Amino acid sequence: MKLGYSSATAGIYNIEEAFNIAEELSLDFIELTYEMSHFLPLVQDVKTVNELKTQTGIELSLHLPFVDLNIASLIPAIRRATVDETLRALEYAEKIEATTAVLHTGSFFLYQPVKQERSLDALRESLAMLVGSSPIIALENLAVFADSVIKGPHQLKEITNEFKFSNCLDMGHAFIEEKHIWTEQSDDLIADYIAILSDDIRHLHLCNNDGLVDMHSATDNGLIDYSRYKDFLTSFDGGICLEVAGGKEIVRQSAEQIRSFEAVLL
């Protein structure tokens, strides 16, 4: 099991502290958030990150930019800005040797007097400019809101295969999506995502919630019963990122729960 955590979601903005926590909890990787390079430019500069990476042996993944951006925007200037920012982030990812780059698939604002297919076309135009990037892009399931362009595992599978990307399965997102009318009906949408995306899943985001709000709670503090997916989690050979909020102890609590599934199988 390759286990890591999102330092920004956990609220750990000091990069040395982020690596220290990963070492203390025996985690394999840290997922950095590219926006931090703008918000706090001295926090995760390439030189410092690479020095800490070399010292500790902790690997990295990167969440590509999404704040104030929309890769599926129908406004060309915003779409170009999003692609340009994503390309800059991919350059950063390559410099820090990130294993995976997680990408959101954009939004379609419901008041727009055009068909949603226009946003799908815009998304395809953007994704075409990212093909062949390094590291590998993992498209994340995002449909926690009705305005998400991509909804459900079948649509995500289609767009992923079209551009030969991989996937990041956010189990918290899938659980919220299951509870809303804008997606395909399912008794267990997390299981559907696992089955339909299958070998395209390269990365996981784990947290918990109440089925309504993306709360980023500890994995054992919410309505998702992760023990239902213990066989998948323990055999998964990609990165399992704890995308939980609340600091080191919440990360520790979540790591202990997910690791307990391995102990049960031994």
mmCIF file of all heavy atoms in Angstrom, residues 191-209:
data_model
loop_
_atom_site.group_PDB
_atom_site.id
_atom_site.type_symbol
_atom_site.label_atom_id
_atom_site.label_comp_id
_atom_site.label_asym_id
_atom_site.label_seq_id
_atom_site.Cartn_x
_atom_site.Cartn_y
_atom_site.Cartn_z
ATOM 1 N N ALA A 191 -18.232 1.870 -5.887
ATOM 2 C CA ALA A 191 -17.956 0.558 -6.489
ATOM 3 C C ALA A 191 -18.092 0.609 -8.005
ATOM 4 O O ALA A 191 -17.315 -0.029 -8.731
ATOM 5 C CB ALA A 191 -18.893 -0.493 -5.902
ATOM 6 N N ASP A 192 -19.062 1.380 -8.502
ATOM 7 C CA ASP A 192 -19.232 1.522 -9.946
ATOM 8 C C ASP A 192 -18.010 2.194 -10.574
ATOM 9 O O ASP A 192 -17.535 1.768 -11.633
ATOM 10 C CB ASP A 192 -20.482 2.342 -10.258
ATOM 11 C CG ASP A 192 -21.764 1.596 -9.928
ATOM 12 O OD1 ASP A 192 -21.698 0.386 -9.648
ATOM 13 O OD2 ASP A 192 -22.828 2.238 -9.932
ATOM 14 N N TYR A 193 -17.533 3.256 -9.939
ATOM 15 C CA TYR A 193 -16.333 3.921 -10.453
ATOM 16 C C TYR A 193 -15.162 2.947 -10.503
ATOM 17 O O TYR A 193 -14.401 2.908 -11.484
ATOM 18 C CB TYR A 193 -15.972 5.129 -9.591
ATOM 19 C CG TYR A 193 -16.568 6.439 -10.042
ATOM 20 C CD1 TYR A 193 -17.622 7.026 -9.353
ATOM 21 C CD2 TYR A 193 -16.065 7.110 -11.150
ATOM 22 C CE1 TYR A 193 -18.162 8.246 -9.759
ATOM 23 C CE2 TYR A 193 -16.606 8.319 -11.564
ATOM 24 C CZ TYR A 193 -17.656 8.880 -10.868
ATOM 25 O OH TYR A 193 -18.184 10.077 -11.294
ATOM 26 N N ILE A 194 -14.986 2.166 -9.448
ATOM 27 C CA ILE A 194 -13.884 1.203 -9.396
ATOM 28 C C ILE A 194 -14.005 0.206 -10.537
ATOM 29 O O ILE A 194 -13.027 -0.089 -11.238
ATOM 30 C CB ILE A 194 -13.866 0.479 -8.038
ATOM 31 C CG1 ILE A 194 -13.474 1.453 -6.924
ATOM 32 C CG2 ILE A 194 -12.912 -0.709 -8.070
ATOM 33 C CD1 ILE A 194 -13.661 0.903 -5.515
ATOM 34 N N ALA A 195 -15.206 -0.311 -10.742
ATOM 35 C CA ALA A 195 -15.406 -1.333 -11.768
ATOM 36 C C ALA A 195 -15.263 -0.771 -13.179
ATOM 37 O O ALA A 195 -14.650 -1.402 -14.050
ATOM 38 C CB ALA A 195 -16.788 -1.974 -11.597
ATOM 39 N N ILE A 196 -15.802 0.410 -13.415
ATOM 40 C CA ILE A 196 -15.841 0.958 -14.776
ATOM 41 C C ILE A 196 -14.512 1.595 -15.167
ATOM 42 O O ILE A 196 -14.019 1.398 -16.284
ATOM 43 C CB ILE A 196 -17.009 1.957 -14.900
ATOM 44 C CG1 ILE A 196 -18.343 1.199 -14.798
ATOM 45 C CG2 ILE A 196 -16.942 2.730 -16.221
ATOM 46 C CD1 ILE A 196 -19.537 2.083 -14.535
ATOM 47 N N LEU A 197 -13.893 2.334 -14.258
ATOM 48 C CA LEU A 197 -12.590 2.936 -14.581
ATOM 49 C C LEU A 197 -11.485 1.901 -14.552
ATOM 50 O O LEU A 197 -10.502 2.001 -15.295
ATOM 51 C CB LEU A 197 -12.280 4.075 -13.605
ATOM 52 C CG LEU A 197 -13.260 5.242 -13.587
ATOM 53 C CD1 LEU A 197 -12.791 6.298 -12.586
ATOM 54 C CD2 LEU A 197 -13.428 5.861 -14.973
ATOM 55 N N SER A 198 -11.600 0.943 -13.671
ATOM 56 C CA SER A 198 -10.731 -0.235 -13.630
ATOM 57 C C SER A 198 -9.250 0.140 -13.634
ATOM 58 O O SER A 198 -8.787 0.888 -12.786
ATOM 59 C CB SER A 198 -11.090 -1.158 -14.798
ATOM 60 O OG SER A 198 -10.405 -2.372 -14.726
ATOM 61 N N ASP A 199 -8.510 -0.380 -14.612
ATOM 62 C CA ASP A 199 -7.060 -0.193 -14.651
ATOM 63 C C ASP A 199 -6.643 1.236 -14.961
ATOM 64 O O ASP A 199 -5.454 1.567 -14.866
ATOM 65 C CB ASP A 199 -6.425 -1.130 -15.681
ATOM 66 C CG ASP A 199 -6.525 -2.595 -15.272
ATOM 67 O OD1 ASP A 199 -6.711 -2.850 -14.074
ATOM 68 O OD2 ASP A 199 -6.422 -3.472 -16.144
ATOM 69 N N ASP A 200 -7.590 2.095 -15.335
ATOM 70 C CA ASP A 200 -7.249 3.506 -15.568
ATOM 71 C C ASP A 200 -7.017 4.265 -14.265
ATOM 72 O O ASP A 200 -6.457 5.359 -14.275
ATOM 73 C CB ASP A 200 -8.361 4.209 -16.359
ATOM 74 C CG ASP A 200 -8.419 3.760 -17.810
ATOM 75 O OD1 ASP A 200 -7.365 3.384 -18.357
ATOM 76 O OD2 ASP A 200 -9.518 3.789 -18.391
ATOM 77 N N ILE A 201 -7.452 3.676 -13.127
ATOM 78 C CA ILE A 201 -7.278 4.354 -11.840
ATOM 79 C C ILE A 201 -5.814 4.255 -11.425
ATOM 80 O O ILE A 201 -5.298 3.175 -11.163
ATOM 81 C CB ILE A 201 -8.183 3.760 -10.752
ATOM 82 C CG1 ILE A 201 -9.652 3.827 -11.175
ATOM 83 C CG2 ILE A 201 -7.976 4.508 -9.427
ATOM 84 C CD1 ILE A 201 -10.592 3.111 -10.223
ATOM 85 N N ARG A 202 -5.167 5.406 -11.366
ATOM 86 C CA ARG A 202 -3.749 5.474 -11.002
ATOM 87 C C ARG A 202 -3.562 6.058 -9.604
ATOM 88 O O ARG A 202 -2.517 5.854 -8.971
ATOM 89 C CB ARG A 202 -3.029 6.363 -12.034
ATOM 90 C CG ARG A 202 -1.562 6.638 -11.755
ATOM 91 C CD ARG A 202 -0.999 7.603 -12.784
ATOM 92 N NE ARG A 202 0.396 7.930 -12.509
ATOM 93 C CZ ARG A 202 1.423 7.209 -12.928
ATOM 94 N NH1 ARG A 202 1.220 6.111 -13.626
ATOM 95 N NH2 ARG A 202 2.662 7.574 -12.633
ATOM 96 N N HIS A 203 -4.566 6.756 -9.104
ATOM 97 C CA HIS A 203 -4.413 7.549 -7.890
ATOM 98 C C HIS A 203 -5.764 7.605 -7.190
ATOM 99 O O HIS A 203 -6.811 7.574 -7.848
ATOM 100 C CB HIS A 203 -3.964 8.962 -8.293
ATOM 101 C CG HIS A 203 -3.344 9.778 -7.212
ATOM 102 N ND1 HIS A 203 -2.124 9.490 -6.641
ATOM 103 C CD2 HIS A 203 -3.769 10.919 -6.595
ATOM 104 C CE1 HIS A 203 -1.816 10.411 -5.742
ATOM 105 N NE2 HIS A 203 -2.809 11.276 -5.685
ATOM 106 N N LEU A 204 -5.756 7.689 -5.870
ATOM 107 C CA LEU A 204 -6.982 7.789 -5.091
ATOM 108 C C LEU A 204 -6.924 8.999 -4.172
ATOM 109 O O LEU A 204 -5.856 9.342 -3.659
ATOM 110 C CB LEU A 204 -7.178 6.538 -4.219
ATOM 111 C CG LEU A 204 -7.295 5.185 -4.912
ATOM 112 C CD1 LEU A 204 -7.375 4.082 -3.864
ATOM 113 C CD2 LEU A 204 -8.508 5.129 -5.828
ATOM 114 N N HIS A 205 -8.081 9.628 -3.959
ATOM 115 C CA HIS A 205 -8.261 10.615 -2.900
ATOM 116 C C HIS A 205 -9.249 10.022 -1.904
ATOM 117 O O HIS A 205 -10.360 9.644 -2.285
ATOM 118 C CB HIS A 205 -8.815 11.928 -3.447
ATOM 119 C CG HIS A 205 -7.795 12.791 -4.096
ATOM 120 N ND1 HIS A 205 -8.126 13.916 -4.831
ATOM 121 C CD2 HIS A 205 -6.439 12.729 -4.110
ATOM 122 C CE1 HIS A 205 -7.019 14.492 -5.275
ATOM 123 N NE2 HIS A 205 -5.991 13.790 -4.858
ATOM 124 N N LEU A 206 -8.848 9.959 -0.640
ATOM 125 C CA LEU A 206 -9.696 9.407 0.399
ATOM 126 C C LEU A 206 -9.974 10.450 1.473
ATOM 127 O O LEU A 206 -9.057 11.132 1.958
ATOM 128 C CB LEU A 206 -9.025 8.200 1.061
ATOM 129 C CG LEU A 206 -9.317 6.808 0.495
ATOM 130 C CD1 LEU A 206 -8.989 6.726 -0.981
ATOM 131 C CD2 LEU A 206 -8.537 5.753 1.275
ATOM 132 N N CYS A 207 -11.252 10.575 1.827
ATOM 133 C CA CYS A 207 -11.696 11.380 2.972
ATOM 134 C C CYS A 207 -13.109 10.903 3.254
ATOM 135 O O CYS A 207 -13.571 9.928 2.666
ATOM 136 C CB CYS A 207 -11.654 12.880 2.660
ATOM 137 S SG CYS A 207 -12.723 13.381 1.296
ATOM 138 N N ASN A 208 -13.796 11.561 4.175
ATOM 139 C CA ASN A 208 -15.172 11.158 4.458
ATOM 140 C C ASN A 208 -16.067 12.396 4.506
ATOM 141 O O ASN A 208 -15.572 13.520 4.586
ATOM 142 C CB ASN A 208 -15.258 10.366 5.761
ATOM 143 C CG ASN A 208 -16.285 9.244 5.683
ATOM 144 O OD1 ASN A 208 -17.382 9.433 5.147
ATOM 145 N ND2 ASN A 208 -15.941 8.074 6.203
ATOM 146 N N ASN A 209 -17.375 12.159 4.432
ATOM 147 C CA ASN A 209 -18.337 13.266 4.441
ATOM 148 C C ASN A 209 -19.721 12.742 4.788
ATOM 149 O O ASN A 209 -19.900 11.546 5.078
ATOM 150 C CB ASN A 209 -18.328 13.995 3.087
ATOM 151 C CG ASN A 209 -18.681 13.084 1.923
ATOM 152 O OD1 ASN A 209 -19.772 12.500 1.889
ATOM 153 N ND2 ASN A 209 -17.783 12.953 0.953
#
